[in-house]
Amino acid sequence: MTIHSTSQKQADDSSSIFNSSYLPGLDGLRAVAILTVIVYHFGFGQVPGDLGVELFFVLSGFLITRQLLREFRQSGAVDLGRFHHRRLLRIFPAYYVYLAFAFIEECARGYCWTPGLLASGIGHVVNYYNAFNGHPNTVIAHAWALSLQEQFYILWPLALIVLVRRGGRWVIAGLTAGIFVVVLWRCALIGTIGIVPAYLYNALDTRFDSLALGCVLAALTEFPEAAVRVQALSKWPLMPVGTLAILLMSRLYGSDSYHYSIGFTVDTFLLTLFVMQIVLQHGHWMWTWLDHPVSRYVGKVSYSLYLWHLIGFGVANRMTQFQPVLQLVVALLVGMGLASASYWLIERPFLKIREKNQ
């Protein structure tokens, strides 16, 4: 077999995996992401919980862009109305049920929300509420990530339509330029009077790169020559371990100025590489646990679990006689119960409506 034919076979193998309707390992990665966030929020500060959120961003950018590019490839157009209708059915019902519950429960306990907090929750701008108010510790503070993604869903499809009509390389070039501009913007903001880390952490204009790198991965899989390089970076099953080691060094040992300037981009790039490696190595015994039924189920309910896990914390924290580890177990059990109820009673019925309208 010639070198050219070997490279072509590698490209075909990678393309066939990334173009399949179901990508193994992704539900397991969602489970890893949400558990990382939960453990961090519970008080284990040594765990870099923001990496769990960034992993969600990478997966979101990758899957949304993959879906939009596939639609354009098949029909030569992108139906924005259909896209936003699908996102609305996926995100809004569970979110607004949680928002209503949290508002009523907090008011009942005497913690009535300010008009600004309520408006930010309803309007999906919690990220900017956090950005301009020092990321206050509220029961919907974690919704900043959902708000940022909703803002991204509004802007990115519009930009993608313009770029993809010129060709796939324009998509990659546009995303790369956007990432570069965001990094420069963050660097410029560091040290600016009135700009605090909360803004750098929460705002769409400072975190667009965290979603854009997932979009780049989706765009790269459209090119056979890129698929060969993808295969080379995912050749051995231990490669994802090496990527995680570099990622943890970047996250744990970088200074604040590094973290808020280029660190977000470096970390997200490494997470994007990790996702790519897992997709291509999912069948190896080292990574099959990501496709275990338990991992897949936690990943399936991860959106609802992200919404409801703080309520689980509230229940566990009132059980002061428990040790921290036992409190965490209680929080997880309560959170999983609420998330499962949300998934099967709220998410699934609306997802079925979405599937009928495909």
Side-chain angles (χ1 to χ4, degrees):
M1 182 179 291
T2 65
I3 295 176
H4 176 75
S5 61
T6 300
S7 298
Q8 186 60 47
K9 182 179 183 302
Q10 291 175 339
D12 292 343
D13 290 344
S14 296
S15 296
S16 64
I17 292 172
F18 279 104
N19 288 328
S20 60
S21 58
Y22 173 76
L23 293 178
L26 294 195
D27 279 335
L29 288 177
R30 290 190 185 95
V32 171
I34 186 58
L35 291 176
T36 301
V37 171
I38 287 174
V39 171
Y40 172 76
H41 280 170
F42 193 75
F44 292 89
Q46 304 87 345
V47 177
D50 58 315
L51 292 183
V53 176
E54 289 181 3
L55 180 53
F56 277 126
F57 287 160
V58 170
L59 293 172
S60 180
F62 170 67
L63 292 172
I64 289 299
T65 304
R66 179 173 177 260
Q67 170 195 328
L68 293 172
L69 289 175
R70 176 176 295 179
E71 181 180 349
F72 185 85
R73 188 170 61 244
Q74 292 173 349
S75 65
V78 173
D79 188 339
L80 287 178
R82 178 173 175 270
F83 169 78
H84 289 299
H85 182 248
R86 286 171 56 83
R87 298 313 305 166
L88 183 150
L89 291 174
R90 175 71 182 89
I91 301 296
F92 281 20
Y95 173 77
Y96 282 112
V97 168
Y98 171 76
L99 190 70
F101 176 89
F103 176 77
I104 294 170
E105 193 265 347
E106 290 254 286
C107 285
R109 294 194 299 116
Y111 300 105
C112 289
W113 297 0
T114 64
L117 179 61
L118 179 60
S120 71
I122 295 173
H124 282 279
V125 288
V126 176
N127 59 327
Y128 281 101
Y129 179 88
N130 288 352
F132 288 110
N133 291 278
H135 202 108
N137 184 23
T138 68
V139 75
I140 62 168
H142 62 306
W144 76 270
L146 305 177
S147 297
L148 190 146
Q149 289 183 77
E150 285 303 306
Q151 294 154 17
F152 171 80
Y153 294 150
I154 293 172
L155 298 175
W156 170 235
L158 295 171
L160 178 62
I161 290 173
V162 174
L163 293 169
V164 77
R165 286 173 178 167
R166 295 175 173 265
R169 296 183 190 279
W170 278 85
V171 175
I172 297 173
L175 286 165
T176 303
I179 292 167
F180 185 69
V181 168
V182 166
V183 173
L184 288 180
W185 177 235
R186 279 204 308 266
C187 291
L189 288 177
I190 291 177
T192 301
I193 296 176
I195 297 296
V196 295
Y199 187 91
L200 299 170
Y201 185 81
N202 284 274
L204 175 65
D205 53 283
T206 58
R207 297 304 300 272
F208 171 79
D209 54 328
S210 296
L211 288 146
L213 280 161
C215 303
V216 170
L217 176 59
L220 284 174
T221 59
E222 298 283 312
F223 294 95
E225 61 269 29
V228 174
R229 294 181 174 84
V230 164
Q231 191 78 16
L233 291 170
S234 312
K235 189 174 181 180
W236 298 294
L238 278 174
M239 281 184 164
V241 177
T243 301
L244 284 180
I246 299 171
L247 174 63
L248 289 175
M249 289 178 63
S250 170
R251 179 60 186 84
L252 297 176
Y253 298 107
S255 65
D256 284 347
S257 59
Y258 162 81
H259 183 59
Y260 287 107
S261 57
I262 65 170
F264 283 143
T265 308
V266 172
D267 293 351
T268 309
F269 172 80
L270 292 167
L271 282 170
T272 305
L273 176 59
F274 179 68
V275 169
M276 176 187 71
Q277 291 169 333
I278 290 299
V279 170
L280 295 175
Q281 287 288 342
H282 74 277
H284 192 274
W285 63 265
M286 287 183 61
W287 305 106
T288 52
W289 60 273
L290 288 168
D291 280 317
H292 188 278
V294 174
S295 300
R296 291 181 63 179
Y297 182 77
V298 175
K300 184 182 294 185
V301 302
S302 60
Y303 171 52
S304 283
L305 186 53
Y306 186 81
L307 288 172
W308 289 93
H309 73 278
L310 292 182
I311 302 299
F313 288 177
V315 173
N317 287 336
R318 294 184 187 102
M319 300 178 177
T320 54
Q321 71 274 23
F322 288 169
Q323 296 297 318
V325 174
L326 188 53
Q327 282 187 325
L328 177 59
V329 172
V330 172
L332 284 171
L333 290 175
V334 173
M336 278 299 298
L338 292 171
S340 295
S342 175
Y343 178 78
W344 292 107
L345 299 178
I346 303 169
E347 283 190 67
R348 278 303 301 167
F350 283 96
L351 289 175
K352 288 181 178 179
I353 295 173
R354 187 179 75 165
E355 290 164 4
K356 290 179 181 177
N357 294 333
Q358 285 185 349

